[in-house]
Amino acid sequence: MYQDLEKTSAKLIEMGYSINDPWDVVDAFEDMVAKYAGSKYAVAVDNCTNAMFLCLKYLNAAGEVSIPKRTYLSVPQLIIHAGCKPKFVDLEWKGMYRLDPYPVIDGATRFTRNMYVPGTFHCLSFHIRKILPISKGGMILTDDKNAVDWLKAAEYEGRDRRVPHDIMPEPTICGWNMYMPPEQAARGINLFLSLPDVNEDCGGSYKYRDISEYKIFKV
Protein backbone atom coordinates (compact mmCIF):
# COMPACT_ATOMS: atom_id res chain seq x y z
CA MET A 1 0.00 0.00 0.00
CA TYR A 2 2.83 2.41 0.88
CA GLN A 3 4.52 1.67 -2.46
CA ASP A 4 1.29 2.68 -4.21
CA LEU A 5 1.35 5.92 -2.24
CA GLU A 6 4.91 6.64 -3.37
CA LYS A 7 4.09 5.88 -7.01
CA THR A 8 1.00 8.06 -6.91
CA SER A 9 2.98 10.88 -5.29
CA ALA A 10 5.51 10.74 -8.13
CA LYS A 11 2.68 10.78 -10.68
CA LEU A 12 1.11 13.81 -9.01
CA ILE A 13 4.40 15.71 -9.09
CA GLU A 14 4.57 15.05 -12.83
CA MET A 15 1.06 16.47 -13.10
CA GLY A 16 2.13 19.68 -11.38
CA TYR A 17 0.97 19.05 -7.82
CA SER A 18 3.25 19.95 -4.91
CA ILE A 19 3.70 16.78 -2.84
CA ASN A 20 5.75 17.22 0.31
CA ASP A 21 3.99 14.81 2.68
CA PRO A 22 1.31 12.10 2.41
CA TRP A 23 -1.54 14.49 3.22
CA ASP A 24 -0.75 16.38 0.01
CA VAL A 25 -2.05 13.29 -1.82
CA VAL A 26 -5.41 13.68 -0.06
CA ASP A 27 -5.42 17.38 -1.00
CA ALA A 28 -4.74 16.48 -4.63
CA PHE A 29 -7.58 13.94 -4.67
CA GLU A 30 -9.95 16.53 -3.23
CA ASP A 31 -8.85 19.06 -5.85
CA MET A 32 -9.35 16.60 -8.72
CA VAL A 33 -12.84 15.58 -7.62
CA ALA A 34 -13.94 19.18 -6.97
CA LYS A 35 -12.87 20.26 -10.46
CA TYR A 36 -14.55 17.21 -11.99
CA ALA A 37 -17.77 17.70 -10.05
CA GLY A 38 -18.00 21.48 -10.48
CA SER A 39 -17.70 22.54 -6.83
CA LYS A 40 -15.18 24.97 -5.31
CA TYR A 41 -14.07 22.54 -2.62
CA ALA A 42 -14.15 18.89 -1.63
CA VAL A 43 -13.45 17.23 1.71
CA ALA A 44 -12.40 13.58 1.72
CA VAL A 45 -13.87 11.36 4.46
CA ASP A 46 -13.97 7.66 5.27
CA ASN A 47 -17.47 7.00 3.86
CA CYS A 48 -20.62 8.69 2.57
CA THR A 49 -22.62 7.93 5.72
CA ASN A 50 -20.18 9.88 7.86
CA ALA A 51 -20.07 12.63 5.23
CA MET A 52 -23.81 13.22 5.64
CA PHE A 53 -23.56 12.94 9.43
CA LEU A 54 -20.84 15.61 9.58
CA CYS A 55 -22.86 17.92 7.32
CA LEU A 56 -25.91 17.66 9.57
CA LYS A 57 -23.76 18.38 12.62
CA TYR A 58 -22.21 21.41 10.90
CA LEU A 59 -25.68 22.72 10.10
CA ASN A 60 -26.87 22.14 13.69
CA ALA A 61 -29.72 20.09 12.26
CA ALA A 62 -32.72 19.38 14.47
CA GLY A 63 -36.20 17.96 14.14
CA GLU A 64 -37.42 15.82 11.25
CA VAL A 65 -35.34 15.03 8.19
CA SER A 66 -37.26 13.66 5.21
CA ILE A 67 -35.72 10.82 3.21
CA PRO A 68 -37.05 8.19 0.78
CA LYS A 69 -38.55 4.99 2.17
CA ARG A 70 -36.29 3.08 -0.17
CA THR A 71 -32.70 3.98 0.58
CA TYR A 72 -29.60 2.57 2.26
CA LEU A 73 -30.08 1.51 5.89
CA SER A 74 -27.37 3.78 7.31
CA VAL A 75 -29.15 6.97 6.21
CA PRO A 76 -31.95 7.00 8.83
CA GLN A 77 -29.43 5.77 11.38
CA LEU A 78 -27.01 8.66 10.76
CA ILE A 79 -29.94 11.06 11.03
CA ILE A 80 -30.80 9.66 14.47
CA HIS A 81 -27.17 9.79 15.58
CA ALA A 82 -27.04 13.42 14.45
CA GLY A 83 -29.86 14.18 16.90
CA CYS A 84 -32.70 14.30 14.38
CA LYS A 85 -35.65 12.10 13.47
CA PRO A 86 -36.00 10.44 10.06
CA LYS A 87 -39.29 11.01 8.24
CA PHE A 88 -39.86 8.47 5.49
CA VAL A 89 -41.54 9.65 2.30
CA ASP A 90 -42.66 7.81 -0.80
CA LEU A 91 -40.15 9.21 -3.27
CA GLU A 92 -38.74 7.70 -6.42
CA TRP A 93 -35.16 8.78 -6.99
CA LYS A 94 -32.15 7.97 -9.12
CA GLY A 95 -28.55 8.84 -8.41
CA MET A 96 -29.19 11.28 -5.57
CA TYR A 97 -31.76 12.90 -3.29
CA ARG A 98 -31.86 15.60 -0.61
CA LEU A 99 -32.07 15.20 3.16
CA ASP A 100 -34.91 17.67 3.33
CA PRO A 101 -35.13 20.43 4.61
CA TYR A 102 -31.34 20.62 4.79
CA PRO A 103 -29.05 21.27 1.80
CA VAL A 104 -27.41 17.87 2.21
CA ILE A 105 -27.38 15.59 -0.82
CA ASP A 106 -27.03 11.81 -0.68
CA GLY A 107 -25.21 11.33 -3.98
CA ALA A 108 -23.82 7.90 -3.19
CA THR A 109 -24.93 6.33 -6.47
CA ARG A 110 -23.88 9.17 -8.79
CA PHE A 111 -20.40 10.10 -9.98
CA THR A 112 -20.19 12.01 -13.24
CA ARG A 113 -18.76 15.31 -14.46
CA ASN A 114 -20.52 18.50 -13.26
CA MET A 115 -22.71 16.53 -10.87
CA TYR A 116 -22.44 19.08 -8.04
CA VAL A 117 -25.70 20.73 -6.96
CA PRO A 118 -24.76 24.39 -6.22
CA GLY A 119 -25.30 25.62 -2.69
CA THR A 120 -25.42 22.15 -1.16
CA PHE A 121 -23.28 19.75 0.81
CA HIS A 122 -23.17 17.04 -1.83
CA CYS A 123 -21.94 13.74 -0.39
CA LEU A 124 -20.28 11.00 -2.44
CA SER A 125 -19.54 7.32 -1.90
CA PHE A 126 -16.44 5.44 -3.05
CA HIS A 127 -17.62 2.05 -1.81
CA ILE A 128 -16.45 -1.02 -3.73
CA ARG A 129 -19.89 -1.28 -5.40
CA LYS A 130 -19.97 2.35 -6.48
CA ILE A 131 -18.70 4.07 -9.64
CA LEU A 132 -15.33 5.00 -8.10
CA PRO A 133 -14.68 1.78 -6.14
CA ILE A 134 -11.79 2.58 -3.79
CA SER A 135 -13.16 0.01 -1.30
CA LYS A 136 -14.54 2.45 1.25
CA GLY A 137 -14.43 6.22 1.23
CA GLY A 138 -16.41 9.33 0.55
CA MET A 139 -16.28 13.06 -0.11
CA ILE A 140 -18.24 16.22 0.59
CA LEU A 141 -18.62 18.75 -2.24
CA THR A 142 -19.32 22.34 -1.22
CA ASP A 143 -18.78 26.01 -2.09
CA ASP A 144 -18.59 27.01 1.58
CA LYS A 145 -15.02 27.67 2.79
CA ASN A 146 -16.09 28.04 6.43
CA ALA A 147 -17.69 24.62 6.22
CA VAL A 148 -14.53 23.15 4.72
CA ASP A 149 -12.43 24.43 7.62
CA TRP A 150 -14.88 22.98 10.17
CA LEU A 151 -15.29 19.66 8.36
CA LYS A 152 -11.54 19.08 8.01
CA ALA A 153 -11.10 19.60 11.74
CA ALA A 154 -14.23 17.65 12.68
CA GLU A 155 -13.22 14.54 10.73
CA TYR A 156 -9.77 14.45 12.40
CA GLU A 157 -10.59 14.57 16.13
CA GLY A 158 -10.84 18.35 15.99
CA ARG A 159 -7.18 18.72 14.96
CA ASP A 160 -5.17 19.89 11.99
CA ARG A 161 -4.26 16.70 10.11
CA ARG A 162 -0.96 18.22 8.98
CA VAL A 163 0.47 18.55 12.49
CA PRO A 164 2.54 15.43 13.37
CA HIS A 165 0.93 13.08 15.89
CA ASP A 166 3.93 13.20 18.24
CA ILE A 167 3.33 16.93 18.76
CA MET A 168 -0.22 16.18 19.92
CA PRO A 169 -1.85 19.50 19.00
CA GLU A 170 -4.79 20.62 21.12
CA PRO A 171 -8.09 20.11 19.28
CA THR A 172 -10.10 23.19 18.40
CA ILE A 173 -13.43 21.33 18.51
CA CYS A 174 -14.68 17.97 19.79
CA GLY A 175 -14.45 15.97 16.57
CA TRP A 176 -14.69 12.44 15.22
CA ASN A 177 -12.38 9.88 13.59
CA MET A 178 -13.75 10.01 10.03
CA TYR A 179 -10.87 11.01 7.78
CA MET A 180 -9.63 9.38 4.57
CA PRO A 181 -6.06 8.02 4.89
CA PRO A 182 -3.55 9.08 2.22
CA GLU A 183 -3.22 5.46 1.03
CA GLN A 184 -6.94 5.36 0.21
CA ALA A 185 -6.69 8.71 -1.55
CA ALA A 186 -3.84 7.35 -3.67
CA ARG A 187 -5.98 4.41 -4.75
CA GLY A 188 -8.82 6.80 -5.48
CA ILE A 189 -6.61 8.95 -7.69
CA ASN A 190 -5.41 5.96 -9.71
CA LEU A 191 -8.98 4.84 -10.33
CA PHE A 192 -10.18 8.38 -11.00
CA LEU A 193 -7.59 9.04 -13.70
CA SER A 194 -9.00 6.20 -15.82
CA LEU A 195 -12.66 7.07 -15.22
CA PRO A 196 -14.84 8.40 -18.08
CA ASP A 197 -16.29 11.90 -17.90
CA VAL A 198 -19.86 10.64 -18.05
CA ASN A 199 -21.08 7.70 -15.96
CA GLU A 200 -24.55 6.24 -15.53
CA ASP A 201 -26.03 6.30 -12.03
CA CYS A 202 -25.49 3.00 -10.26
CA GLY A 203 -28.54 3.10 -8.01
CA GLY A 204 -31.87 4.58 -7.00
CA SER A 205 -35.05 3.75 -5.14
CA TYR A 206 -35.53 0.73 -7.38
CA LYS A 207 -32.47 -0.93 -5.80
CA TYR A 208 -33.54 -0.68 -2.16
CA ARG A 209 -36.29 -2.19 -0.04
CA ASP A 210 -38.73 -0.12 2.03
CA ILE A 211 -37.01 0.30 5.39
CA SER A 212 -39.63 2.56 6.94
CA GLU A 213 -41.33 -0.39 8.67
CA TYR A 214 -38.26 -1.54 10.55
CA LYS A 215 -38.94 -1.65 14.30
CA ILE A 216 -35.88 0.41 15.23
CA PHE A 217 -37.37 3.41 13.38
CA LYS A 218 -40.73 3.20 15.15
CA VAL A 219 -39.52 4.70 18.42
Side-chain angles (χ1 to χ4, degrees):
M1 184 74 80
Y2 188 75
Q3 289 181 336
D4 292 339
L5 180 59
E6 288 185 323
K7 290 178 181 178
T8 304
S9 297
K11 185 186 299 182
L12 289 169
I13 291 171
E14 292 177 359
M15 295 172 64
Y17 285 97
S18 177
I19 306 297
N20 298 307
D21 69 58
W23 290 112
D24 289 330
V25 176
V26 181
D27 290 345
F29 188 30
E30 291 169 337
D31 178 69
M32 288 179 180
V33 173
K35 288 176 178 175
Y36 176 84
S39 61
K40 288 184 180 178
Y41 310 104
V43 179
V45 294
D46 58 349
N47 60 69
C48 187
T49 296
N50 286 341
M52 290 185 280
F53 169 83
L54 288 173
C55 291
L56 289 179
K57 297 300 288 185
Y58 174 73
L59 293 167
N60 293 313
E64 290 186 337
V65 178
S66 295
I67 55 171
K69 291 180 178 180
R70 297 181 181 275
T71 187
Y72 189 59
L73 181 59
S74 72
V75 181
Q77 293 177 337
L78 76 88
I79 290 170
I80 293 169
H81 289 311
C84 302
K85 182 178 180 179
K87 178 183 178 182
F88 295 98
V89 296
D90 192 6
L91 174 69
E92 290 188 10
W93 62 275
K94 186 173 182 291
M96 64 180 189
Y97 61 86
R98 176 175 170 169
L99 277 62
D100 195 55
Y102 296 99
V104 178
I105 301 292
D106 180 355
T109 60
R110 176 168 294 176
F111 194 82
T112 193
R113 185 170 291 278
N114 295 325
M115 63 188 151
Y116 177 60
V117 179
T120 69
F121 298 93
H122 191 140
C123 301
L124 309 176
S125 175
F126 303 141
H127 186 270
I128 194 66
R129 294 181 180 176
K130 299 304 188 338
I131 296 168
L132 188 66
I134 293 175
S135 69
K136 191 175 184 182
M139 207 167 282
I140 303 164
L141 307 174
T142 181
D143 289 335
D144 187 337
K145 181 61 168 63
N146 290 331
V148 170
D149 293 340
W150 187 90
L151 290 164
K152 287 194 174 185
E155 70 172 6
Y156 200 66
E157 298 97 19
R159 302 177 293 166
D160 183 345
R161 68 190 185 191
R162 293 189 171 280
V163 178
H165 280 195
D166 55 356
I167 296 177
M168 291 297 290
E170 183 175 347
T172 57
I173 62 173
C174 187
W176 295 266
N177 190 313
M178 296 179 175
Y179 66 90
M180 177 184 290
E183 294 83 359
Q184 288 290 85
R187 174 167 169 75
I189 288 170
N190 292 326
L191 292 169
F192 175 81
L193 291 175
S194 62
L195 198 70
D197 267 7
V198 179
N199 303 285
E200 289 292 323
D201 294 337
C202 66
S205 51
Y206 60 92
K207 273 203 168 185
Y208 297 93
R209 63 179 298 175
D210 183 347
I211 59 175
S212 64
E213 296 301 318
Y214 285 5
K215 291 180 181 179
I216 62 170
F217 303 131
K218 293 296 185 180
V219 295

